[in-house]
Amino acid sequence: MAEPHAVSQKLPQSETDAAPEPDLLDAYRLMVLARATDERCLMLQRQGRIGFYAPLMGQEAAQVGASRALAPQDWIFPAYRELAVALARGVPLRAIFDQLLGNADDRIRGRQMPNHFGFRDVNFVVASSPIGTQITQAVGAAMAAQRRKDSIVTIAFFGDGATSSNDFHAGLNFAGVFQTPTIFFCQNNQWAISLPREKQTRSATLAEKGSAYGMPGVLVDGNDFLAVYSAVREARERALSGGGPTLIEAEVYRFGPHSTSDDPKRYRTEEQLAAAKERDPILRLKGELVSAGRWTEELDHQLWEEVRTRVTRTFEEAEKAKPLDPRSIFDDVFAHVTPQLAEERAQFDAELRDGVLKL
Amino acid sequence: MSEMNIVQAINRTLRDAMKEDPDVLVLGEDVGVNGGVFRATDGLIREFGAERVIDTPLSETGIIGTAIGMSLYGLKPIAEIQFLDFIYPAFDQIVSELAKFRYRSGGQYPAHVVIRAPYGGGIKGGIYHSQSTEAYFCHTAGIKVVIPSTPSDARGLLFSAIADEDPVLFLEPKRIYRSLTGEVSDSQEKVPFGHARVVREGSDVSVFAYGAMVPVAQEAADALGRDGVSTEVIDLRTLVPLDEAAVLASVEKTGRAIIVHEAARFCGFGAELSAILAEKALYSLKAPVLRVTGYDTPFPYALENVYLPNPERVVRAVRQSLQAG
């Protein structure tokens, strides 16, 4: 049985707080890694080597900026598009690929579709598909941290569509009432599958919804790494000093489809996408680094080459991992297998033995 | 030992569990200052403070969603849903989140929340204060469903629920919250899950019930006993996990099975019991399995008394079974 708590890259204990100044090159490299992984995964899905994928391209600065403003002990409640957050937390790329493949090394034991990963060792709570449900959970964890007097924040990641969900309302309302140390980080990528942002709500901004719950609402350019970093850092400091929750709206644009099952040509034009891509967060940070004399086209070319090779090789390694033990299907439903499940497993064993089950 | 009713037993148990473990806390609507609309949490806020007896805004999804977050973080939240009828705004959190956290995380994030909810009819509560919809939850993998029928079991099963590593829906038969009293131990002895209680032994027919239907079955058994029919009454106590062995053993002995629940019949818990008997006890059965249940209608207000199974209906079903073969 795979050890679910196994850690391959643990953050050092001494690193108890977020860095005062973000390392822009480190952030850039992470964003490139996320983008290269995304591009590769879309291809792998088309090749039939993974079953599904939900790309984040366009949201790299928002995700890395938010992550770098957090401390390792903070708890992350992701939606299902937070690849760059996981990478920024130090999750090995291999662990991401193991999850996409659902192999024997998968930390969540093949239980969910690609992108729905979770890594307890870096306080990255496991994702689910229902929209917004993680928002109230993030508030509850923050209430628990308050009770334990732990100096941490919880952060819920969600999209513009989630602002219409029951749990957005309930979560922000509870957080306001109990003044929890929670950051509500909305990546407004303009699209909830096919529904454009302006049809999601009549509100002029999503950020302004914060005021109805008695908390600051901050609108930030999600393509601007430093702007996101500063907004989240400020929200974190406010939360830790007893100032309660903050709603942050990071304006981004989803460059890719909602998922590999989606065809965005049905609801948006190439012109819209091209216009959005002019504000590509990766090109923006690269431009800033080049202007500051810290980066060159040549170094950039090298980086992309290295990263693409690493991504390809790591995926090929993950493909060589053993398949899951089929009997593990009955594990983790409850802490201990119930008599009913034991009976089903016995029948499963017999069917497996008789070749009735096709693996 | 003290004599008390079910509400008092629950109140006492919550207090004892909170005294014992600082991670145990209670949250829900009106549970603090007001002590709960049924007074199950009466006095807890005075003893443990508003940090551990949390009056929440009026949102069931908020209650269960935050309880899940607390649990992931390491606390042991006991959430009260004021009436089972109002649990549906939290259905997504219970079915899609709470029940699946352990599984979907590969064991990394077990979520343990005890959800207490009064259920069932008999208090003139109409459609929305009377329903018995345990089957929805029994159908969901990953959550246990527990229904006590006595003050003593309420205490022992609630201790088990709080100590359990899995999510537990703890349904309280509000109709007999106060009408039924009994001796309750001062100890913290648990009643283990998955162990049905033989309420009375019998040899002619088995009657399976839980919650507020247990006294109904008992009354029917008393009446049948006066006519020389020996009725075995089994209180299932926990629907998930089910004590299937106890069910089968009883039917193997008596050859006749009557299932009593106030929930609607179609796809109710009795359907599962009946299927188990058909699969595993067919050759022991002398007569068809019969169900005495609520009807497949919404729960009525003015006609509540004819909706809920009563002892006479149980007696009638037993006689029908005895005549069948």
Side-chain angles (χ1 to χ4, degrees), chain A residues 4 75 108 111-112 118 120 126-128 133 136-137 140-141 144 147-148 150 167 170 178 329 331-332 334-336 340 343, chain B residues 22-23 51-52 54 59 61 65-66 69-70 72-74 92-93 97 101-104 106 108-109 142-143 165-166 242 280:
Chain A
W75 276 49
I108 66 160
R111 300 281 165 63
Q112 295 205 78
R120 180 143 203 155
V126 69
S128 71
T133 44
T136 45
Q137 294 163 9
R147 163 137 190 78
R148 290 262 173 95
D150 291 343
D167 282 274
F178 297 110
I329 192 172
D331 298 342
D332 305 319
F334 294 107
H336 307 284
Q340 277 75 31
E343 186 183 315
Chain B
D23 283 342
E51 261 192 27
R52 291 180 69 195
I54 304 169
S59 167
T61 192
T66 53
M70 291 175 190
L72 296 178
Y73 201 82
D92 199 18
Q93 284 290 350
E97 300 289 323
F101 247 107
R102 182 188 294 277
Y103 197 75
R104 80 172 198 227
Q108 294 180 92
Y109 283 103
I143 185 164
E165 297 169 78
D166 296 309
L242 175 67
K280 297 180 181 168

Short mmCIF file of all heavy atoms in Angstrom, two decimals, chain A residues 4 75 108 111-112 118 120 126-128 133 136-137 140-141 144 147-148 150 167 170 178 329 331-332 334-336 340 343, chain B residues 22-23 51-52 54 59 61 65-66 69-70 72-74 92-93 97 101-104 106 108-109 142-143 165-166 242 280:
data_model
loop_
_atom_site.label_atom_id
_atom_site.label_comp_id
_atom_site.label_asym_id
_atom_site.label_seq_id
_atom_site.Cartn_x
_atom_site.Cartn_y
_atom_site.Cartn_z
N PRO A 4 0.47 7.35 2.11
CA PRO A 4 -0.12 8.61 1.65
C PRO A 4 0.58 9.86 2.17
O PRO A 4 0.48 10.91 1.59
CB PRO A 4 -1.56 8.54 2.16
CG PRO A 4 -1.54 7.54 3.26
CD PRO A 4 -0.43 6.58 2.95
N TRP A 75 -2.70 27.35 5.06
CA TRP A 75 -3.46 26.25 4.42
C TRP A 75 -4.11 26.72 3.13
O TRP A 75 -4.80 27.74 3.10
CB TRP A 75 -4.54 25.74 5.37
CG TRP A 75 -4.06 24.73 6.35
CD1 TRP A 75 -2.94 24.83 7.15
CD2 TRP A 75 -4.66 23.46 6.66
NE1 TRP A 75 -2.83 23.70 7.92
CE2 TRP A 75 -3.86 22.86 7.65
CE3 TRP A 75 -5.79 22.80 6.20
CZ2 TRP A 75 -4.17 21.60 8.19
CZ3 TRP A 75 -6.10 21.56 6.72
CH2 TRP A 75 -5.30 20.97 7.71
N ILE A 108 -3.15 10.48 -4.17
CA ILE A 108 -4.58 10.30 -3.86
C ILE A 108 -5.11 8.96 -4.40
O ILE A 108 -6.32 8.74 -4.49
CB ILE A 108 -5.45 11.47 -4.35
CG1 ILE A 108 -5.48 11.57 -5.87
CG2 ILE A 108 -4.99 12.79 -3.74
CD1 ILE A 108 -6.66 12.37 -6.41
N ARG A 111 -8.00 8.26 -7.14
CA ARG A 111 -9.41 8.43 -6.79
C ARG A 111 -10.12 9.52 -7.58
O ARG A 111 -11.35 9.57 -7.61
CB ARG A 111 -9.51 8.75 -5.28
CG ARG A 111 -8.92 7.66 -4.39
CD ARG A 111 -9.88 6.51 -4.22
NE ARG A 111 -9.26 5.30 -3.69
CZ ARG A 111 -8.69 5.17 -2.48
NH1 ARG A 111 -8.58 6.20 -1.68
NH2 ARG A 111 -8.23 4.02 -2.10
N GLN A 112 -9.37 10.42 -8.18
CA GLN A 112 -10.03 11.54 -8.86
C GLN A 112 -9.44 11.81 -10.23
O GLN A 112 -8.32 11.42 -10.54
CB GLN A 112 -9.88 12.81 -8.02
CG GLN A 112 -10.58 12.76 -6.67
CD GLN A 112 -10.92 14.15 -6.20
OE1 GLN A 112 -11.90 14.75 -6.66
NE2 GLN A 112 -10.14 14.69 -5.29
N GLY A 118 -4.07 16.67 -4.16
CA GLY A 118 -3.97 17.20 -2.80
C GLY A 118 -2.69 16.68 -2.17
O GLY A 118 -2.29 15.55 -2.45
N ARG A 120 -0.99 16.77 1.55
CA ARG A 120 -1.09 17.18 2.94
C ARG A 120 0.24 17.73 3.48
O ARG A 120 0.24 18.63 4.31
CB ARG A 120 -1.56 16.01 3.81
CG ARG A 120 -1.68 16.40 5.26
CD ARG A 120 -2.84 15.75 5.99
NE ARG A 120 -3.14 16.61 7.14
CZ ARG A 120 -4.31 16.68 7.73
NH1 ARG A 120 -5.31 15.97 7.30
NH2 ARG A 120 -4.49 17.49 8.74
N VAL A 126 -6.96 18.61 -0.68
CA VAL A 126 -7.35 17.96 -1.92
C VAL A 126 -8.55 18.66 -2.58
O VAL A 126 -9.50 19.05 -1.91
CB VAL A 126 -7.64 16.46 -1.66
CG1 VAL A 126 -8.90 16.27 -0.82
CG2 VAL A 126 -7.71 15.67 -2.95
N ALA A 127 -8.45 18.83 -3.88
CA ALA A 127 -9.50 19.54 -4.63
C ALA A 127 -10.72 18.64 -4.85
O ALA A 127 -10.65 17.43 -4.71
CB ALA A 127 -8.94 19.99 -5.97
N SER A 128 -11.83 19.29 -5.20
CA SER A 128 -13.00 18.53 -5.66
C SER A 128 -13.61 19.29 -6.83
O SER A 128 -13.20 20.40 -7.14
CB SER A 128 -14.02 18.34 -4.54
OG SER A 128 -14.67 19.55 -4.25
N THR A 133 -17.29 24.79 -2.90
CA THR A 133 -17.41 24.09 -1.62
C THR A 133 -16.19 24.30 -0.72
O THR A 133 -16.29 24.22 0.51
CB THR A 133 -17.62 22.58 -1.84
OG1 THR A 133 -16.71 22.13 -2.85
CG2 THR A 133 -19.04 22.29 -2.29
N THR A 136 -16.21 27.57 2.21
CA THR A 136 -16.62 27.47 3.61
C THR A 136 -15.62 26.62 4.40
O THR A 136 -15.38 26.87 5.59
CB THR A 136 -18.02 26.83 3.74
OG1 THR A 136 -18.09 25.70 2.88
CG2 THR A 136 -19.11 27.81 3.35
N GLN A 137 -15.04 25.63 3.74
CA GLN A 137 -14.06 24.77 4.43
C GLN A 137 -12.83 25.58 4.84
O GLN A 137 -12.29 25.39 5.94
CB GLN A 137 -13.66 23.61 3.53
CG GLN A 137 -14.83 22.65 3.27
CD GLN A 137 -14.60 21.74 2.07
OE1 GLN A 137 -13.50 21.69 1.52
NE2 GLN A 137 -15.63 21.02 1.66
N GLY A 140 -13.70 27.38 7.93
CA GLY A 140 -13.70 26.49 9.09
C GLY A 140 -12.30 26.19 9.59
O GLY A 140 -12.04 26.19 10.80
N ALA A 141 -11.38 25.94 8.65
CA ALA A 141 -9.99 25.68 9.06
C ALA A 141 -9.41 26.92 9.74
O ALA A 141 -8.65 26.81 10.70
CB ALA A 141 -9.16 25.28 7.85
N ALA A 144 -10.61 27.06 13.21
CA ALA A 144 -9.86 26.10 14.02
C ALA A 144 -8.49 26.65 14.38
O ALA A 144 -8.02 26.52 15.51
CB ALA A 144 -9.72 24.78 13.26
N ARG A 147 -8.86 29.06 17.10
CA ARG A 147 -9.07 28.37 18.38
C ARG A 147 -7.76 27.83 18.93
O ARG A 147 -7.49 27.89 20.12
CB ARG A 147 -10.10 27.25 18.18
CG ARG A 147 -10.11 26.24 19.27
CD ARG A 147 -11.47 25.80 19.74
NE ARG A 147 -11.32 25.00 20.94
CZ ARG A 147 -11.08 25.49 22.14
NH1 ARG A 147 -11.00 26.79 22.31
NH2 ARG A 147 -10.93 24.69 23.17
N ARG A 148 -6.92 27.32 18.03
CA ARG A 148 -5.62 26.77 18.46
C ARG A 148 -4.58 27.87 18.69
O ARG A 148 -3.46 27.59 19.06
CB ARG A 148 -5.10 25.81 17.38
CG ARG A 148 -5.87 24.52 17.26
CD ARG A 148 -5.15 23.41 18.03
NE ARG A 148 -5.92 22.19 18.09
CZ ARG A 148 -5.78 21.16 17.24
NH1 ARG A 148 -4.93 21.25 16.25
NH2 ARG A 148 -6.50 20.06 17.40
N ASP A 150 -3.01 29.41 16.41
CA ASP A 150 -1.94 29.26 15.43
C ASP A 150 -1.89 30.50 14.55
O ASP A 150 -2.93 30.97 14.09
CB ASP A 150 -2.20 28.03 14.53
CG ASP A 150 -2.06 26.73 15.29
OD1 ASP A 150 -1.46 26.76 16.39
OD2 ASP A 150 -2.56 25.71 14.80
N ASP A 167 -21.77 28.49 -1.38
CA ASP A 167 -20.68 28.49 -0.42
C ASP A 167 -19.84 29.76 -0.47
O ASP A 167 -19.17 30.09 0.51
CB ASP A 167 -19.81 27.25 -0.60
CG ASP A 167 -20.48 26.04 0.03
OD1 ASP A 167 -20.29 25.82 1.24
OD2 ASP A 167 -21.23 25.34 -0.68
N ALA A 170 -22.03 31.84 1.85
CA ALA A 170 -21.94 31.34 3.23
C ALA A 170 -20.54 31.55 3.79
O ALA A 170 -20.36 31.96 4.93
CB ALA A 170 -22.32 29.86 3.28
N PHE A 178 -17.17 35.90 11.99
CA PHE A 178 -16.19 35.38 12.96
C PHE A 178 -14.80 35.98 12.76
O PHE A 178 -13.87 35.60 13.45
CB PHE A 178 -16.13 33.84 12.87
CG PHE A 178 -17.43 33.19 13.24
CD1 PHE A 178 -18.21 32.55 12.29
CD2 PHE A 178 -17.90 33.24 14.55
CE1 PHE A 178 -19.43 31.97 12.63
CE2 PHE A 178 -19.10 32.66 14.90
CZ PHE A 178 -19.88 32.02 13.94
N ILE A 329 -9.54 -0.11 -4.31
CA ILE A 329 -10.83 0.58 -4.53
C ILE A 329 -11.67 0.62 -3.25
O ILE A 329 -12.45 1.54 -3.03
CB ILE A 329 -11.60 -0.11 -5.70
CG1 ILE A 329 -12.79 0.73 -6.16
CG2 ILE A 329 -12.11 -1.48 -5.32
CD1 ILE A 329 -13.44 0.16 -7.43
N ASP A 331 -10.40 0.74 -0.12
CA ASP A 331 -9.73 1.43 0.99
C ASP A 331 -10.19 2.88 1.10
O ASP A 331 -10.60 3.48 0.11
CB ASP A 331 -8.21 1.43 0.75
CG ASP A 331 -7.62 0.02 0.71
OD1 ASP A 331 -8.30 -0.91 1.18
OD2 ASP A 331 -6.50 -0.13 0.18
N ASP A 332 -10.07 3.42 2.28
CA ASP A 332 -10.29 4.86 2.54
C ASP A 332 -11.74 5.31 2.38
O ASP A 332 -12.01 6.51 2.36
CB ASP A 332 -9.40 5.75 1.64
CG ASP A 332 -7.93 5.43 1.74
OD1 ASP A 332 -7.46 5.19 2.86
OD2 ASP A 332 -7.25 5.42 0.70
N PHE A 334 -14.02 4.28 4.57
CA PHE A 334 -14.05 4.54 6.00
C PHE A 334 -12.64 4.26 6.53
O PHE A 334 -11.80 3.69 5.83
CB PHE A 334 -15.06 3.60 6.69
CG PHE A 334 -16.48 3.85 6.31
CD1 PHE A 334 -17.16 2.97 5.48
CD2 PHE A 334 -17.16 4.98 6.76
CE1 PHE A 334 -18.49 3.20 5.11
CE2 PHE A 334 -18.48 5.21 6.41
CZ PHE A 334 -19.14 4.33 5.59
N ALA A 335 -12.42 4.61 7.79
CA ALA A 335 -11.11 4.35 8.39
C ALA A 335 -10.83 2.84 8.38
O ALA A 335 -9.70 2.41 8.18
CB ALA A 335 -11.07 4.89 9.82
N HIS A 336 -11.88 2.06 8.61
CA HIS A 336 -11.75 0.60 8.59
C HIS A 336 -12.85 0.05 7.69
O HIS A 336 -13.96 0.57 7.68
CB HIS A 336 -11.87 0.04 10.01
CG HIS A 336 -10.92 0.70 10.97
ND1 HIS A 336 -9.58 0.43 11.00
CD2 HIS A 336 -11.13 1.67 11.88
CE1 HIS A 336 -9.00 1.19 11.91
NE2 HIS A 336 -9.91 1.96 12.47
N GLN A 340 -20.05 -4.72 5.29
CA GLN A 340 -20.67 -4.66 3.96
C GLN A 340 -19.59 -4.55 2.88
O GLN A 340 -19.64 -5.22 1.85
CB GLN A 340 -21.62 -3.46 3.86
CG GLN A 340 -23.01 -3.72 4.42
CD GLN A 340 -23.03 -3.71 5.95
OE1 GLN A 340 -22.25 -3.01 6.60
NE2 GLN A 340 -23.93 -4.48 6.54
N GLU A 343 -17.58 -7.72 2.40
CA GLU A 343 -18.31 -8.69 1.60
C GLU A 343 -18.20 -8.37 0.11
O GLU A 343 -17.97 -9.25 -0.72
CB GLU A 343 -19.77 -8.70 2.04
CG GLU A 343 -20.59 -9.78 1.39
CD GLU A 343 -22.05 -9.70 1.80
OE1 GLU A 343 -22.32 -9.53 3.01
OE2 GLU A 343 -22.91 -9.77 0.91
N PRO B 22 -10.66 19.17 24.74
CA PRO B 22 -10.82 20.58 24.35
C PRO B 22 -11.00 20.78 22.85
O PRO B 22 -11.38 21.87 22.42
CB PRO B 22 -9.51 21.23 24.82
CG PRO B 22 -8.54 20.12 24.97
CD PRO B 22 -9.32 18.89 25.30
N ASP B 23 -10.74 19.74 22.05
CA ASP B 23 -10.94 19.86 20.61
C ASP B 23 -12.41 19.68 20.20
O ASP B 23 -12.79 20.00 19.07
CB ASP B 23 -10.09 18.82 19.86
CG ASP B 23 -8.63 19.24 19.79
OD1 ASP B 23 -8.35 20.44 19.99
OD2 ASP B 23 -7.78 18.37 19.55
N GLU B 51 -16.63 30.35 22.18
CA GLU B 51 -15.64 29.82 21.24
C GLU B 51 -15.88 28.35 20.93
O GLU B 51 -15.47 27.86 19.89
CB GLU B 51 -14.24 29.95 21.85
CG GLU B 51 -13.47 31.14 21.38
CD GLU B 51 -12.01 31.05 21.78
OE1 GLU B 51 -11.49 29.93 21.95
OE2 GLU B 51 -11.41 32.11 21.96
N ARG B 52 -16.50 27.66 21.90
CA ARG B 52 -16.71 26.22 21.70
C ARG B 52 -18.17 25.87 21.54
O ARG B 52 -18.50 24.70 21.28
CB ARG B 52 -16.12 25.43 22.87
CG ARG B 52 -14.60 25.46 22.90
CD ARG B 52 -14.06 24.67 24.05
NE ARG B 52 -14.28 23.24 23.89
CZ ARG B 52 -14.15 22.36 24.89
NH1 ARG B 52 -13.83 22.78 26.10
NH2 ARG B 52 -14.36 21.08 24.68
N ILE B 54 -20.82 27.48 19.31
CA ILE B 54 -20.83 28.56 18.33
C ILE B 54 -22.21 28.74 17.70
O ILE B 54 -22.72 27.85 17.02
CB ILE B 54 -19.79 28.27 17.22
CG1 ILE B 54 -18.39 28.07 17.86
CG2 ILE B 54 -19.76 29.41 16.22
CD1 ILE B 54 -17.35 27.53 16.88
N SER B 59 -27.23 29.23 7.96
CA SER B 59 -26.80 28.63 6.69
C SER B 59 -26.27 27.24 6.96
O SER B 59 -25.21 27.06 7.56
CB SER B 59 -25.69 29.49 6.06
OG SER B 59 -25.07 28.79 5.00
N THR B 61 -25.17 25.04 4.79
CA THR B 61 -23.93 24.74 4.07
C THR B 61 -22.75 25.43 4.76
O THR B 61 -21.64 24.90 4.79
CB THR B 61 -24.02 25.11 2.56
OG1 THR B 61 -22.90 24.55 1.90
CG2 THR B 61 -24.04 26.62 2.33
N GLY B 65 -19.86 23.13 5.99
CA GLY B 65 -18.60 23.48 5.32
C GLY B 65 -17.54 23.92 6.32
O GLY B 65 -16.40 23.46 6.26
N THR B 66 -17.91 24.77 7.26
CA THR B 66 -16.91 25.21 8.25
C THR B 66 -16.55 24.06 9.19
O THR B 66 -15.39 23.93 9.58
CB THR B 66 -17.39 26.42 9.06
OG1 THR B 66 -18.66 26.15 9.63
CG2 THR B 66 -17.47 27.68 8.22
N GLY B 69 -13.90 22.08 7.56
CA GLY B 69 -12.60 22.76 7.66
C GLY B 69 -11.98 22.61 9.03
O GLY B 69 -10.78 22.36 9.17
N MET B 70 -12.81 22.73 10.07
CA MET B 70 -12.31 22.55 11.45
C MET B 70 -11.77 21.14 11.64
O MET B 70 -10.73 20.93 12.27
CB MET B 70 -13.45 22.76 12.45
CG MET B 70 -13.94 24.19 12.54
SD MET B 70 -15.38 24.23 13.66
CE MET B 70 -15.94 25.90 13.36
N LEU B 72 -10.65 19.04 9.30
CA LEU B 72 -9.41 18.84 8.56
C LEU B 72 -8.23 19.38 9.36
O LEU B 72 -7.13 18.85 9.33
CB LEU B 72 -9.46 19.55 7.20
CG LEU B 72 -10.51 19.07 6.20
CD1 LEU B 72 -10.46 19.93 4.93
CD2 LEU B 72 -10.31 17.61 5.84
N TYR B 73 -8.51 20.45 10.09
CA TYR B 73 -7.45 21.11 10.86
C TYR B 73 -7.13 20.36 12.16
O TYR B 73 -6.11 20.60 12.77
CB TYR B 73 -7.85 22.56 11.17
CG TYR B 73 -6.66 23.43 11.49
CD1 TYR B 73 -5.90 23.98 10.46
CD2 TYR B 73 -6.28 23.69 12.81
CE1 TYR B 73 -4.80 24.77 10.74
CE2 TYR B 73 -5.17 24.47 13.09
CZ TYR B 73 -4.44 25.01 12.05
OH TYR B 73 -3.34 25.79 12.33
N GLY B 74 -8.05 19.49 12.58
CA GLY B 74 -7.76 18.67 13.75
C GLY B 74 -8.74 18.78 14.90
O GLY B 74 -8.61 18.09 15.90
N ASP B 92 -24.76 19.08 -0.44
CA ASP B 92 -23.53 19.05 -1.24
C ASP B 92 -22.31 18.87 -0.33
O ASP B 92 -21.43 18.07 -0.62
CB ASP B 92 -23.43 20.38 -2.01
CG ASP B 92 -22.48 20.31 -3.19
OD1 ASP B 92 -22.16 19.20 -3.64
OD2 ASP B 92 -22.08 21.38 -3.68
N GLN B 93 -22.26 19.62 0.75
CA GLN B 93 -21.13 19.52 1.67
C GLN B 93 -21.07 18.13 2.31
O GLN B 93 -19.98 17.60 2.54
CB GLN B 93 -21.20 20.59 2.76
CG GLN B 93 -20.80 21.98 2.31
CD GLN B 93 -19.31 22.12 2.00
OE1 GLN B 93 -18.51 21.25 2.28
NE2 GLN B 93 -18.94 23.23 1.38
N GLU B 97 -18.57 16.28 -0.20
CA GLU B 97 -17.34 16.69 0.48
C GLU B 97 -17.05 15.81 1.70
O GLU B 97 -16.12 15.02 1.69
CB GLU B 97 -17.44 18.17 0.89
CG GLU B 97 -17.65 19.11 -0.29
CD GLU B 97 -16.40 19.26 -1.16
OE1 GLU B 97 -15.30 19.27 -0.62
OE2 GLU B 97 -16.55 19.36 -2.40
N PHE B 101 -14.03 12.95 1.58
CA PHE B 101 -12.70 13.54 1.80
C PHE B 101 -11.62 12.47 1.98
O PHE B 101 -10.55 12.55 1.38
CB PHE B 101 -12.70 14.48 3.01
CG PHE B 101 -12.48 15.91 2.61
CD1 PHE B 101 -13.50 16.84 2.64
CD2 PHE B 101 -11.21 16.32 2.19
CE1 PHE B 101 -13.29 18.15 2.25
CE2 PHE B 101 -10.99 17.64 1.81
CZ PHE B 101 -12.03 18.56 1.84
N ARG B 102 -11.87 11.50 2.83
CA ARG B 102 -10.86 10.48 3.07
C ARG B 102 -10.51 9.75 1.76
O ARG B 102 -9.36 9.58 1.43
CB ARG B 102 -11.36 9.47 4.11
CG ARG B 102 -10.34 8.39 4.45
CD ARG B 102 -10.94 7.31 5.33
NE ARG B 102 -11.32 7.78 6.65
CZ ARG B 102 -10.48 7.89 7.69
NH1 ARG B 102 -9.21 7.57 7.55
NH2 ARG B 102 -10.91 8.32 8.86
N TYR B 103 -11.57 9.37 1.05
CA TYR B 103 -11.38 8.59 -0.17
C TYR B 103 -10.68 9.40 -1.25
O TYR B 103 -9.70 8.96 -1.84
CB TYR B 103 -12.74 8.11 -0.67
CG TYR B 103 -12.66 6.97 -1.67
CD1 TYR B 103 -12.37 5.68 -1.25
CD2 TYR B 103 -12.89 7.18 -3.02
CE1 TYR B 103 -12.30 4.63 -2.15
CE2 TYR B 103 -12.83 6.14 -3.93
CZ TYR B 103 -12.53 4.86 -3.50
OH TYR B 103 -12.47 3.82 -4.38
N ARG B 104 -11.20 10.57 -1.50
CA ARG B 104 -10.70 11.35 -2.63
C ARG B 104 -9.30 11.88 -2.40
O ARG B 104 -8.64 12.32 -3.34
CB ARG B 104 -11.66 12.47 -2.98
CG ARG B 104 -11.56 13.70 -2.11
CD ARG B 104 -12.45 14.80 -2.70
NE ARG B 104 -12.09 16.10 -2.18
CZ ARG B 104 -12.98 16.97 -1.73
NH1 ARG B 104 -14.27 16.68 -1.72
NH2 ARG B 104 -12.58 18.15 -1.31
N GLY B 106 -6.98 9.96 -0.95
CA GLY B 106 -6.14 8.79 -0.76
C GLY B 106 -5.76 8.59 0.69
O GLY B 106 -4.68 8.10 0.98
N GLN B 108 -5.25 11.00 2.87
CA GLN B 108 -4.49 12.11 3.45
C GLN B 108 -5.33 13.02 4.32
O GLN B 108 -4.85 13.60 5.29
CB GLN B 108 -3.89 12.99 2.34
CG GLN B 108 -2.86 12.33 1.48
CD GLN B 108 -2.36 13.33 0.43
OE1 GLN B 108 -1.39 14.03 0.64
NE2 GLN B 108 -3.03 13.39 -0.70
N TYR B 109 -6.58 13.21 3.94
CA TYR B 109 -7.44 14.17 4.63
C TYR B 109 -8.75 13.52 5.09
O TYR B 109 -9.79 13.72 4.47
CB TYR B 109 -7.78 15.34 3.71
CG TYR B 109 -6.68 16.36 3.55
CD1 TYR B 109 -5.89 16.39 2.40
CD2 TYR B 109 -6.43 17.29 4.55
CE1 TYR B 109 -4.88 17.33 2.25
CE2 TYR B 109 -5.42 18.25 4.40
CZ TYR B 109 -4.66 18.25 3.25
OH TYR B 109 -3.67 19.18 3.10
N GLY B 142 -19.26 6.46 2.69
CA GLY B 142 -18.34 7.31 3.44
C GLY B 142 -18.93 8.01 4.64
O GLY B 142 -18.22 8.73 5.34
N ILE B 143 -20.22 7.83 4.90
CA ILE B 143 -20.80 8.46 6.09
C ILE B 143 -21.62 7.42 6.85
O ILE B 143 -22.33 6.61 6.25
CB ILE B 143 -21.65 9.71 5.75
CG1 ILE B 143 -22.14 10.40 7.03
CG2 ILE B 143 -22.79 9.40 4.80
CD1 ILE B 143 -22.63 11.81 6.82
N GLU B 165 -13.67 7.72 13.70
CA GLU B 165 -12.76 8.41 12.77
C GLU B 165 -13.46 8.84 11.49
O GLU B 165 -12.85 9.46 10.62
CB GLU B 165 -11.60 7.47 12.40
CG GLU B 165 -10.73 7.08 13.57
CD GLU B 165 -9.77 5.95 13.20
OE1 GLU B 165 -8.77 6.25 12.54
OE2 GLU B 165 -10.06 4.80 13.55
N ASP B 166 -14.72 8.49 11.35
CA ASP B 166 -15.45 8.78 10.12
C ASP B 166 -16.58 9.77 10.38
O ASP B 166 -16.99 9.96 11.52
CB ASP B 166 -16.03 7.47 9.56
CG ASP B 166 -14.95 6.50 9.16
OD1 ASP B 166 -14.05 6.92 8.41
OD2 ASP B 166 -14.98 5.33 9.60
N LEU B 242 -24.43 -1.60 9.15
CA LEU B 242 -25.59 -2.41 9.52
C LEU B 242 -25.12 -3.72 10.15
O LEU B 242 -24.17 -4.34 9.67
CB LEU B 242 -26.41 -2.72 8.26
CG LEU B 242 -27.60 -3.66 8.44
CD1 LEU B 242 -28.68 -3.00 9.30
CD2 LEU B 242 -28.18 -4.04 7.08
N LYS B 280 -30.16 -13.59 1.24
CA LYS B 280 -29.40 -14.43 2.18
C LYS B 280 -30.25 -15.25 3.14
O LYS B 280 -29.69 -16.04 3.90
CB LYS B 280 -28.45 -13.55 2.99
CG LYS B 280 -27.43 -12.89 2.11
CD LYS B 280 -26.48 -12.03 2.89
CE LYS B 280 -25.49 -11.36 1.96
NZ LYS B 280 -24.75 -10.31 2.65
#
